[in-house]
Amino acid sequence: MKLNRKSRYISKSKKFGYLPFLLPSFAGVLAFVIAPFCRVILYSVKTTATDEFCGLENYRTVFLNEAFLLAAKNTAKFDAVCLPLLIGLSLLLAVWLSKSRLIQKIKSAWLFPLAVPSATLVLVWKMLFEKNGIINAGLLKIGMEGPDWMGGSLSFYVLVISYIWKNLGYTVLLWLSGILSVPENIIEAAKVDGANERKSFLYIILPNLKSVFYMITVLSFLNSFQVFREAYLVAGAYPQESMYLLQHLFNNWFTNLSIDKMSAAAVILAVIFSAIVFLLQKLWDEGGK
């Protein structure tokens, strides 16, 4: 009887022993994430002016809003261009660095872009890409007239360059951590069996980077929304059309106190982002079976 009670106590402690450690974190998430988001959902079905229930009218207004459609299109295009470039380029650099003898000396240098303040980056950006900036001055010396980098469609690609430069080093280090964690004896065994470097990478190293690949994809996707700081400091709240992103739209709606539209758009984006993350998780899980 005593043994049964003791075993029950042990099983209960194993089941609920982690609760004291999780409760403070859960309380913080509940207070600062879940509760405010529930408030946003409530705002999304009310009018700002009269605080009356309006159903899905705010969602309809958002989907018919030209500024929202433009910002959503530009944001989707930005992610579609940036994510493959960043992930592919960083992987190539990580593979090259993993074979270098100077890896320990140059590894920390890749974090330099993250340490550069946004205001400093914007100043350099303006010096380079202004109409009378350094790049156009160099082109003028060789007899070519430089384009208006920030005033036309090229501003989108300037934004892409800024994002990749800012996040490349950090992503390279994440890839490196995964590559260097692959046991050396497995790679050596594959080489003994006749696998060359290409086959070792494709069939030994790459499958072991699945979890790192997933983490990098999600982080890169989330970090793509932080490029708004540089774009806002350079071009203000209403930049050139090709670099008008969702963050610009939210900023302008907040300034105009359009809380109902902003709340509805926030709920829409939360659903879309959650679906994308869960879809990526499902693809990764199925890929590992």
Side-chain angles (χ1 to χ4, degrees):
M1 189 72 178
K2 287 183 179 179
L3 286 173
N4 287 335
R5 286 181 180 176
K6 189 175 180 181
S7 62
R8 285 178 187 172
Y9 175 76
I10 292 172
S11 63
K12 283 184 179 180
S13 64
K14 284 182 178 179
K15 242 182 217 184
F16 304 106
Y18 56 82
L19 284 179
F21 300 98
L22 291 181
L23 282 176
S25 297
F26 179 73
V29 171
L30 182 64
F32 298 108
V33 178
I34 297 176
F37 187 69
C38 290
R39 189 77 174 174
V40 168
I41 295 174
L42 183 62
Y43 284 142
S44 71
V45 293
K46 288 185 174 184
T47 58
T48 302
T50 61
D51 201 32
E52 293 178 353
F53 178 77
C54 63
L56 300 177
E57 185 60 30
N58 289 329
Y59 293 91
R60 181 175 174 276
T61 302
V62 168
F63 279 118
L64 294 177
N65 187 283
E66 291 184 6
F68 176 79
L69 296 176
L70 174 65
K73 183 188 77 171
N74 287 340
T75 303
K77 179 183 175 183
F78 182 79
D79 285 326
V81 171
C82 285
L83 295 191
L85 278 175
L86 177 65
I87 294 171
L89 183 59
S90 60
L91 178 59
L92 289 174
L93 288 171
V95 172
W96 173 71
L97 280 173
S98 65
K99 300 173 184 177
S100 174
R101 296 180 181 179
L102 301 174
I103 183 172
Q104 295 299 331
K105 294 182 179 179
I106 63 176
K107 192 162 61 172
S108 58
W110 288 92
L111 291 176
F112 173 74
L114 288 178
V116 178
S118 295
T120 305
L121 179 59
V122 166
L123 183 61
V124 175
W125 193 359
K126 285 185 174 181
M127 290 170 60
L128 288 172
F129 294 104
E130 281 287 343
K131 181 67 177 175
N132 299 318
I134 296 173
I135 294 178
N136 282 352
L139 291 174
L140 196 60
K141 285 185 178 179
I142 59 174
M144 294 176 61
E145 185 178 353
D148 185 2
W149 297 95
M150 301 305 302
S153 59
L154 288 175
S155 59
F156 174 83
Y157 297 100
V158 174
L159 202 61
V160 169
I161 292 170
S162 174
Y163 168 78
I164 291 178
W165 181 84
K166 185 90 173 176
N167 294 277
L168 183 62
Y170 175 69
T171 312
V172 166
L173 291 184
L174 290 177
W175 279 123
L176 270 174
S177 66
I179 293 172
L180 297 178
S181 66
V182 178
E184 191 66 31
N185 58 343
I186 299 178
I187 300 173
E188 292 299 328
K191 288 180 179 178
V192 170
D193 290 339
N196 54 26
E197 285 193 8
R198 185 178 65 84
K199 288 185 177 180
S200 296
F201 175 75
L202 290 176
Y203 300 110
I204 305 296
I205 297 176
L206 203 55
N208 282 282
L209 297 178
K210 189 182 108 173
S211 59
V212 179
F213 192 10
Y214 171 74
M215 179 179 65
I216 286 174
T217 303
V218 173
L219 284 177
S220 300
F221 176 66
L222 297 177
N223 286 336
S224 67
F225 293 91
Q226 296 181 10
V227 76
F228 167 71
R229 294 173 299 182
E230 289 80 8
Y232 181 80
L233 289 172
V234 168
Y238 297 94
Q240 203 279 334
E241 188 176 284
S242 65
M243 60 185 292
Y244 187 75
L245 304 176
L246 283 169
Q247 299 92 316
H248 291 94
L249 181 68
F250 276 92
N251 177 73
N252 296 333
W253 276 350
F254 180 78
T255 304
N256 297 329
L257 296 180
S258 301
I259 306 299
D260 46 3
K261 289 193 293 184
M262 188 169 63
S263 299
V267 173
I268 293 169
L269 293 181
V271 171
I272 293 173
F273 294 164
S274 300
I276 291 173
V277 172
F278 285 129
L279 178 62
L280 287 173
Q281 180 68 60
K282 187 177 180 181
L283 290 173
W284 259 256
D285 290 343
E286 289 180 355
K289 292 179 182 179

